[in-house]
Amino acid sequence: MPAPRLEITYCTQCRWLLRAGWTAQELLTTFPADLGEVALVPGTGGVFQVRLDDDVLWDRAAEGGFPELAQLKQLVRDRVAPDRSLGHSDRR
């Protein structure tokens, strides 16, 4: 079974490439062997969406803002490595 694909769609009009890149870097650092790839997908209209395969983990339009990194790591961990501790980023 191939490792999951994480996709971050970001708004080019809003210039959110750096935020998307930083998010991708943090997730690849935390889950180096659990993710098959992380893709940055340019979009427009204020989009910032994080998908893991076919599941939307975070959608800025629906959630009303950007994810806290610890929360996003928990959402990814729960799907790709549910038994792993995230240390200080883990929920209490």
Side-chain angles (χ1 to χ4, degrees):
M1 176 180 217
R5 179 178 197 264
L6 189 121
E7 184 177 288
I8 302 171
T9 305
Y10 65 94
C11 180
T12 57
Q13 296 167 314
C14 302
R15 303 198 181 272
W16 288 337
L17 173 60
L18 289 178
R19 180 184 292 268
W22 172 73
T23 302
Q25 175 185 325
E26 287 292 323
L27 292 172
L28 283 168
T29 299
T30 302
F31 304 101
D34 301 303
L35 296 173
E37 74 177 285
V38 174
L40 300 180
V41 180
T44 58
V47 66
F48 194 88
Q49 188 179 75
V50 180
R51 299 177 65 91
L52 187 64
D53 291 332
D54 293 328
D55 297 328
V56 175
L57 299 182
W58 191 270
D59 186 345
R60 182 180 168 277
E63 303 293 335
F66 294 100
E68 292 292 326
L69 190 57
Q71 182 182 10
L72 187 56
K73 285 181 179 184
Q74 291 167 1
L75 291 169
V76 172
R77 183 272 314 271
D78 290 349
R79 286 164 177 81
V80 302
D83 296 330
R84 178 178 302 150
S85 169
L86 292 175
H88 70 278
S89 293
D90 224 340
R91 49 178 92 99
R92 300 193 192 290

